[in-house]
Amino acid sequence: MSAVLETSALAKRYGRRWALSDCTLKIPPGHVVGLVGPNGAGKTTLLHLAVGLLAPTSGAITVLGDRPAKGATQLGRVGFVAQETPLYAGLSVADHLHFGAWLNPGWDERLAQRRIEQIALDPRQRVRELSGGQRAQLALTLAVAKRPELLILDEPLASLDPLARREFLQNLMESVAEHQLSVVLSSHLVSDLERVCEYLIVLVSSHVQVAGEIEGLLASHHRLTGPRRDLGTLPASQEIIEATHTDRQSTLIVRTDQPILDPSWTVEQIGLEDLVLAYMGRAASIRGSRPAFLRVQP
Amino acid sequence: MIEFHLDTRSGVAPYLQVVHQVRQALRLGLLREGDQLPTVKDVVARLAINPNTVLKAYRELEHDGLAAARPGIGTFVTKTLSDASLAAHAGLRRELLRWFANARRAGLDDESIEALFRDCLRSASGEEVA
């Protein structure tokens, strides 16, 4: 099976500003992929390139082995929910389902009806009367009922309260379990993604900082604490992602596939949030727009 | 039937948490041979987690000989853990209590004992991996 999303040196420029640069990715099918990064990092640009709403300035992108939005077939294979879940405020839930059925050859009416029942939406209700959570659920239902192979969701959780978030993710994961969908969803919060994603892309200031299966990422990143030392003395196999020092202690986050043998380090596993923050901090300090990522030493 | 829960702050991989909870339920006798585990869809709908996480946990349990999948029906417990493991615990428990007493006699307080215990546990499991 071809990659769900494959890019090579993909870049997008708006005027003089690069929204995405040198983006090379290859995401295998059957994953729920989290795209994280601060606001303005280029997440929406990457997703819009993937659905064909934008054309690249340079580089190449294929989605499910084909050019984004190449034709009716390709459009039917990809479901997309844009940020702020755009729906027609004056139309009812039922109207939206009719719309979905007209516009999508692969529309699964039974699935759509079942989902609407499950999330307890009244078909006669107009969208402007729905809560944010209900709107998000309706948009998800429309996207899932067209039976895509890949579902792309841009910040689907940003405007939802914690309960609505949980319900949305439950609905999404049920769809994944039922239809073996691949999903790419973006968020600026790692905690949203921890439960549901198995593959992670960290995007900061238009560059991909790290991408890979979360389990592998967590296994290859470690926090080392020990007496203060010169970083030049570390083995070449250990890539330093984050380093902080006090007058006597050094604390590092390193990436390595080798075991850490130096007995002077206390080695700890790190969580996903710390991993993402370390890469964000590194990107910010390289760019020089912010001081090096600092963390208060206990 | 048991219900799973997830602690995202624990740092333990979600699939391992599911495995641990099944093992724990087996040890406590909440699950016995022949019992059905929750279906993947049920777990996913309840916890809002990735279905592959559940599948991975169930595969691990199958690999350990604790569960078996019956295609189209679900995953079932194939072994009862409680008796054997409790008997094995008793000896280990005695040894550990003796070790704690020794540690106290050596002048360690609870916090130092815990730090030492955790450090040893970590290096022991590290050796296993390496």
Side-chain angles (χ1 to χ4, degrees):
Chain A
M1 234 156 117
S2 54
V4 160
L5 177 69
E6 190 167 5
T7 66
S8 111
L10 183 69
K12 177 69 191 175
R13 193 179 57 196
Y14 296 115
R16 290 173 59 190
R17 196 177 69 84
W18 288 95
L20 191 69
S21 334
D22 195 26
C23 171
T24 299
L25 290 168
K26 187 172 183 179
I27 301 172
H31 283 306
V32 179
V33 180
L35 174 61
V36 267
N39 293 322
K43 302 189 295 288
T44 297
T45 300
L46 176 58
L47 297 183
H48 281 194
L49 286 164
V51 292
L53 283 173
L54 285 174
T57 305
S58 62
I61 177 167
T62 58
V63 172
L64 301 166
D66 223 331
R67 194 161 54 78
K70 187 182 165 199
T73 322
Q74 177 74 354
L75 285 170
R77 297 169 74 197
V78 181
F80 176 57
V81 179
Q83 223 165 338
E84 314 295 340
T85 54
L87 296 165
Y88 298 93
L91 298 185
S92 69
V93 171
D95 292 336
H96 278 84
L97 294 191
H98 290 150
F99 243 143
W102 279 332
L103 295 175
N104 294 286
W107 184 257
D108 187 338
E109 181 65 23
R110 265 184 46 209
L111 183 150
Q113 294 294 349
R114 186 160 50 88
R115 291 267 158 203
I116 292 299
E117 238 168 76
Q118 225 171 26
I119 53 184
L121 281 185
D122 176 357
R124 287 164 306 181
Q125 241 183 338
R126 286 183 198 285
V127 161
R128 72 162 67 90
E129 296 156 10
L130 301 179
S131 70
Q134 288 173 320
R135 262 178 240 193
Q137 295 275 31
L138 176 58
L140 177 64
T141 301
L142 292 171
V144 170
K146 71 180 261 189
R147 299 298 303 273
E149 293 166 51
L150 168 64
L151 189 57
I152 296 179
L153 309 166
D154 193 1
E155 292 273 5
L157 304 166
S159 61
L160 304 184
D161 63 59
L163 181 63
R165 270 168 202 236
R166 179 59 64 85
E167 285 169 353
F168 184 91
L169 289 177
Q170 284 172 331
N171 192 351
L172 177 64
M173 288 303 112
E174 257 189 283
S175 303
V176 171
E178 264 175 50
H179 309 299
Q180 281 87 42
L181 278 172
S182 298
V183 178
V184 177
L185 77 158
S186 69
S187 176
H188 58 278
L189 293 174
V190 185
S191 50
D192 284 342
L193 304 178
E194 230 168 351
R195 299 170 87 93
V196 300
C197 293
E198 43 197 345
Y199 197 102
L200 187 78
I201 303 167
V202 179
L203 189 66
V204 183
S205 45
S206 86
H207 288 271
V208 173
Q209 307 296 325
V210 67
E213 287 192 39
I214 289 174
E215 210 184 311
L217 290 177
L218 290 178
S220 59
H221 287 76
H222 312 273
R223 177 180 290 116
L224 312 183
T225 44
R228 179 165 185 150
R229 62 147 83 192
D230 177 11
L231 298 183
T233 61
L234 289 183
S237 62
Q238 296 177 7
E239 185 192 355
I240 301 167
I241 312 302
E242 182 188 298
T244 53
H245 305 279
T246 65
D247 51 348
R248 25 183 99 165
Q249 195 186 38
S250 290
T251 305
L252 312 179
I253 290 179
V254 299
R255 178 179 197 172
T256 178
D257 296 322
Q258 311 288 321
I260 291 156
L261 302 169
D262 188 335
S264 65
W265 290 121
T266 302
V267 183
E268 281 175 313
Q269 283 191 311
I270 63 169
L272 196 61
E273 184 137 26
D274 283 350
L275 189 150
V276 171
L277 284 175
Y279 277 98
M280 286 187 184
R282 182 169 80 158
S285 66
I286 288 171
R287 211 165 54 134
S289 61
R290 266 196 282 172
F293 196 63
L294 289 179
R295 216 176 260 180
V296 179
Q297 294 288 336
Chain B
M1 191 72 86
I2 57 167
E3 237 174 28
F4 299 119
H5 50 91
L6 203 63
D7 179 3
T8 42
R9 288 168 188 276
S10 68
V12 179
Y15 89 92
L16 272 181
Q17 294 191 36
V18 171
V19 170
H20 290 164
Q21 285 167 35
V22 171
R23 287 176 165 281
Q24 186 67 6
L26 284 166
R27 265 187 223 111
L28 296 174
L30 290 172
L31 278 178
R32 282 191 199 85
E33 191 174 340
D35 285 346
Q36 185 175 7
L37 296 176
T39 64
V40 173
K41 223 188 118 189
D42 284 345
V43 181
V44 160
R46 201 179 115 70
L47 296 182
I49 60 170
N50 191 305
N52 288 331
T53 304
V54 189
L55 287 170
K56 186 167 177 189
Y58 284 8
R59 268 203 304 274
E60 175 117 350
L61 291 165
E62 282 175 41
H63 181 81
D64 295 346
L66 296 175
R70 290 187 212 152
I73 310 174
T75 304
F76 291 81
V77 175
T78 53
K79 205 168 161 184
T80 304
L81 266 187
S82 48
D83 303 336
S85 65
L86 277 180
H89 278 166
L92 287 171
R93 196 185 153 84
R94 261 199 312 279
E95 278 178 54
L96 194 57
L97 285 172
R98 205 174 306 135
W99 182 85
F100 280 137
N102 284 339
R104 283 253 162 63
R105 264 198 296 282
L108 270 64
D109 59 8
D110 283 4
E111 205 177 317
S112 320
I113 290 176
E114 223 181 294
L116 184 59
F117 183 81
R118 235 184 288 127
D119 191 49
C120 287
L121 185 65
R122 198 155 44 212
S123 46
S125 34
E127 273 160 26
E128 242 170 65
V129 172

